[in-house]
Amino acid sequence: MNLKILNRILAILILILNIYFLPFSFITIKETGGAMGYGLLSLPLTLLINFLIITSVLALNKKYEKSLWILIINFIGFLFAIGLFFLLMLTPRID
């Protein structure tokens, strides 16, 4: 596949995943981590995923659409984000 197409696909998938992670980060900060603050332990992980918005926007930019480094960062970030997403979705809540 073309490097330009792979960059665009990964950038769009990261932006879609951040539809979940941005509100998750804000809610965690607002609620101060829930009971005893254990929710704050997930905050550094979700903030790393939120910072991938920058590389995703760069990948959609005409100047960086063929950059191999942006593709590598987005690919590693996407794997991390999708893994954390499934972990958060499949772990049962204890209320």
Side-chain angles (χ1 to χ4, degrees):
M1 279 187 108
N2 195 358
L3 192 63
K4 177 180 168 182
I5 295 171
L6 285 175
N7 263 336
R8 287 190 184 266
I9 290 171
L10 278 176
I12 291 170
L13 288 174
I14 288 172
L15 290 174
I16 290 172
L17 272 173
N18 269 300
I19 292 172
Y20 174 76
F21 284 111
L22 272 175
F24 183 81
S25 298
F26 288 129
I27 290 169
T28 304
I29 292 170
K30 183 181 145 202
E31 294 179 355
T32 62
M36 295 187 289
Y38 285 118
L40 293 175
L41 294 173
S42 68
L43 196 59
L45 301 175
T46 59
L47 287 177
L48 284 174
I49 295 169
N50 293 338
F51 283 133
L52 287 173
I53 293 174
I54 297 169
T55 59
S56 297
V57 171
L58 284 176
L60 295 174
N61 191 353
K62 193 102 170 140
K63 183 178 178 181
Y64 297 104
E65 66 186 2
K66 294 183 181 178
S67 173
L68 181 63
W69 286 106
I70 297 288
L71 178 69
I72 292 170
I73 292 169
N74 280 343
F75 183 71
I76 293 170
F78 175 72
L79 290 178
F80 178 70
I82 200 75
L84 185 62
F85 178 74
F86 282 120
L87 179 71
L88 290 173
M89 286 289 120
L90 298 177
T91 304
R93 290 189 65 167
I94 300 173
D95 287 331

